[in-house]
């Protein structure tokens, strides 16, 4: 059974960089059928996709966050990571990592496995 | 402000049929398939339906979905108390070149 485990500091100071890592176990991060993504959920609000990356390292990002986001992958460690720079209180959220299925049929994209989520609070 | 629009809340009684709507546009629901996620408080979302109406293994057939034009619906038949959760719709958006979500609908079972 595939498992994703997100980890990282729970508190980040304003203007600093948020860093999270997702470790994949029970399956290969190098599978050609999937991307690996980050999604966040501010307290009491809906989900927001941040970005995704292929195992070979081709990331794509939410345009609204693109200037501050970097997603990378380390296949040797079965991990992918998120860095979000210049954070503010608006970046306080639960951050989820997830496996993104790219369906064989055009237009089919969905997240089928999710990490448990990591609460990150931006505060001085 | 979410790209896809869902009602913030809805409710039903056990055994009832409940429908949750999700409205979008040409670039997302109008062009791509819709997915639904179920989320209980304090837990990660779980994939409930993908490709408009396909159920992952283990999801009861009480859950079904449909899509018409730029709108989609999640239907829960034979409502049960443990269906009380938040439901999120999502789709790929060709204009934004990424996945977009609805704001979520909190379902209460009275």
């Amino acid at each position: 059974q595939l498992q994703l485990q997100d980890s990282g500091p729970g508190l980040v100071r304003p203007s600093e960089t948020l860093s999270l890592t997702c470790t994949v176990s029970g399956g290969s991060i190098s599978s050609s059928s999937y991307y690996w993504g980050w999604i966040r959920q501010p307290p009491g609000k809906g989900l927001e996709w941040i970005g995704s990356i292929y195992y070979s390292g081709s990331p794509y990002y939410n345009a609204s966050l693109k200037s501050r986001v970097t997603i990378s992958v380390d296949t040797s460690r079965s991990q992918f990571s998120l860095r979000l720079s210049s954070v503010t209180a608006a970046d306080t959220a639960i951050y989820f990592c997830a496996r993104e299925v790219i369906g064989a049929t055009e237009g089919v994209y969905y997240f089928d496995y999710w990490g448990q989520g990591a609460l990150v609070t931006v505060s001085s | 402000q979410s790209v896809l629009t869902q009602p913030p809340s809805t409710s039903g009684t056990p055994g009832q049929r409940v429908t949750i709507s999700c409205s979008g546009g040409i670039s997302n629901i109008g062009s791509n398939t819709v997915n639904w996620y179920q989320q209980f408080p304090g837990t990660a979302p779980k994939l409930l339906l993908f490709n408009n109406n396909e159920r992952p293994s283990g999801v009861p057939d009480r859950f079904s979905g449909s899509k018409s034009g730029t709108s989609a619906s999640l239907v829960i038949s034979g409502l049960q108390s443990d269906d009380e959760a938040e439901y999120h719709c999502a789709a790929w958006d060709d204009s934004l070149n990424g996945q977009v979500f609805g704001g979520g609908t909190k379902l209460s079972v009275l």
Side-chain angles (χ1 to χ4, degrees):
Chain A
Q1 177 80 339
L2 189 77
Q3 291 189 340
L4 290 83
Q5 177 78 39
D6 15 34
S7 60
L11 180 65
V12 182
R13 307 292 184 199
S15 79
E16 295 189 346
T17 297
L18 176 162
S19 296
L20 293 170
T21 296
C22 185
T23 302
V24 179
S25 60
S28 175
I29 198 171
S30 301
S31 173
S32 60
S33 302
Y34 310 109
Y35 271 70
W36 304 90
W38 289 97
I39 303 101
R40 70 180 182 179
Q41 184 174 35
K45 296 189 178 181
L47 299 166
E48 179 183 34
W49 170 74
I50 299 170
S52 301
I53 191 165
Y54 198 50
Y55 76 92
S56 62
S58 304
Y60 62 107
Y61 304 126
N62 184 323
S64 68
L65 298 169
K66 188 174 183 178
S67 63
R68 299 194 292 130
V69 173
T70 302
I71 296 177
S72 58
V73 62
D74 183 342
T75 56
S76 67
R77 296 187 174 191
S78 289
Q79 293 178 335
F80 61 106
S81 300
L82 168 71
R83 287 173 57 86
L84 181 66
S85 64
S86 304
V87 298
T88 69
D91 295 310
T92 293
I94 299 173
Y95 286 76
F96 298 99
C97 58
R99 187 176 79 171
E100 183 175 10
V101 177
I102 310 300
T105 306
E106 189 173 349
V108 178
Y109 306 81
Y110 55 92
F111 296 101
D112 62 347
Y113 285 92
W114 295 64
Q116 83 284 0
L119 174 62
V120 178
T121 302
V122 179
S123 175
S124 56
Chain B
Q1 196 82 353
S2 300
V3 175
L4 305 181
T5 301
Q6 299 179 239
S9 63
T10 191
S11 63
T13 56
Q16 198 174 17
R17 181 174 183 266
V18 170
T19 300
I20 297 174
S21 63
C22 176
S23 176
I26 293 287
S27 61
N28 41 69
I29 295 178
S31 302
N32 300 296
T33 65
V34 178
N35 312 305
W36 292 89
Y37 300 90
Q38 179 189 54
Q39 184 180 29
F40 296 105
T43 69
K46 167 194 163 187
L47 180 65
L48 189 66
L49 296 174
F50 65 98
N51 195 16
N52 301 326
N53 193 28
E54 292 193 50
R55 288 184 304 276
S57 174
V59 174
D61 60 6
R62 301 187 297 104
F63 295 92
S64 63
S66 65
K67 189 186 91 165
S68 178
T70 58
S71 294
S73 295
L74 167 67
V75 176
I76 308 173
S77 303
L79 193 64
Q80 298 180 0
S81 58
D82 54 6
D83 294 333
E84 187 164 287
E86 187 154 27
Y87 294 85
H88 306 269
C89 62
W92 181 267
D93 191 296
D94 291 337
S95 296
L96 299 175
N97 200 33
Q99 297 230 22
V100 293
F101 289 88
T105 299
K106 185 173 182 179
L107 169 64
S108 298
V109 181
L110 305 174

